[in-house]
Amino acid sequence: MTTLKDAIDDLFNNRRLAADEAVDRHFAPAFRQRVNGTWDDRSGFLARVVQLRESVEHVTVTVLDELTDGNSYAERHIVELVQRDGERAGQEVYVFAERDPDGRFVRIEETALALDSGRPGVGQGPAHAQ
């Protein structure tokens, strides 16, 4: 079973995997995602990943809560992005999702809160990853 942290690591930190290979590994063919109220299908999601890969140097995910019940998945994490230009950004993300029998995500619904980039811990790198 894939986790969101595993997926994000492959999507943005494992550059040996092409974006479409990383998406195939963690997301089912019928995958849909809703972020802050806006739905995207798998092809739109892949396009966003490709675009973000061009500007993001590294992503760190700190899992705060993670629950699984059958194919249902809920998780809360801090995501810290380091852009290629050195700029840093952080968000606290709340996720409800569903996985297929193979363990790949079929649906993700999430809401994100921007964090103050001056907040201790934001953008501090892998030491904060779990």
Side-chain angles (χ1 to χ4, degrees):
M1 292 268 176
T2 194
T3 66
L4 206 48
K5 182 180 183 338
D6 292 340
I8 292 169
D9 280 341
D10 275 349
L11 291 170
F12 299 106
N13 298 327
N14 185 356
R15 302 301 171 117
R16 289 172 285 152
L17 273 182
D20 60 335
E21 292 174 303
V23 169
D24 285 345
R25 180 179 285 184
H26 299 284
F27 302 91
F31 176 71
R32 296 178 341 129
Q33 180 183 35
R34 183 171 74 167
V35 178
N36 295 329
T38 302
W39 282 102
D40 214 346
D41 63 11
R42 191 172 193 255
S43 64
F45 173 74
L46 176 58
R48 256 188 307 113
V49 166
V50 168
Q51 181 182 19
L52 280 169
R53 272 185 162 209
E54 293 175 10
S55 62
V56 171
E57 180 67 31
H58 183 80
V59 176
T60 301
V61 174
T62 303
V63 176
L64 304 172
D65 298 295
E66 186 173 48
L67 304 164
T68 300
D69 183 14
N71 289 337
S72 296
Y73 178 85
E75 191 249 32
R76 181 174 65 104
H77 66 267
I78 302 288
V79 62
E80 301 170 55
L81 299 146
V82 179
Q83 304 283 352
R84 293 200 188 279
D85 65 4
E87 186 175 328
R88 297 170 182 267
Q91 294 184 326
E92 184 172 349
V93 183
Y94 297 80
V95 176
F96 285 97
E98 178 184 353
R99 293 186 281 203
D100 69 10
D102 294 330
R104 295 181 299 170
F105 290 107
V106 175
R107 176 187 48 83
I108 291 177
E109 297 184 50
E110 68 183 67
T111 297
L113 302 168
L115 298 174
D116 178 9
S117 61
R119 184 181 71 79
V122 172
Q124 297 294 317
H128 290 282
Q130 290 187 358

